[in-house]
Amino acid sequence: MSYPPPHQPGPPGPGWWGPSPDAPYGREPSTGAPYSDRSKIIAGLLQILVPLGIGRMYMGDMSLGVIQLVVTLVTCGLGALWPFIDGILILVGRPIDEHGRPLRS
């Protein structure tokens, strides 16, 4: 009488959406891309509450964050409208980080 071999855990097959080492924060359901370690709520609120490009810098988009900061300072605060609107778009959109991963909700 022979017994079946014991179950050997291995890498998950395609279509498996549970936690895995390459996606510790889960995966986006529509694309399957792993989520970023950064939150879109924090990025959006930083852009709205501190409209100096800080939210973009938090997301890893340093060049756009610095440009928003410079525009806001050069225009004596009038340019703060751009990061403010950008913060709203971050909250309602599907932003990505510097590695192309979607931000967590």
Side-chain angles (χ1 to χ4, degrees):
M1 174 183 243
S2 72
Y3 292 100
H7 175 67
Q8 298 293 327
W16 188 77
W17 302 110
S20 67
D22 62 332
Y25 297 100
R27 294 185 179 275
E28 185 177 32
S30 61
T31 63
Y35 279 121
S36 172
D37 59 341
R38 299 189 176 128
S39 169
K40 81 175 190 177
I41 306 247
I42 293 174
L45 288 178
L46 281 171
Q47 283 288 93
I48 291 172
L49 299 176
V50 187
L52 298 172
I54 306 296
R56 282 289 174 178
M57 292 180 204
Y58 168 76
M59 290 171 54
D61 195 356
M62 296 301 279
S63 59
L64 186 58
V66 170
I67 291 170
Q68 288 179 347
L69 174 65
V70 170
V71 167
T72 302
L73 294 177
V74 168
T75 60
C76 298
L78 292 176
L81 187 61
W82 177 23
F84 182 81
I85 293 171
D86 190 33
I88 294 171
L89 293 176
I90 288 171
L91 287 174
V92 299
R94 295 171 64 182
I96 57 174
D97 67 359
E98 76 269 16
H99 302 293
R101 299 175 300 189
L103 269 63
R104 298 182 284 136
S105 293

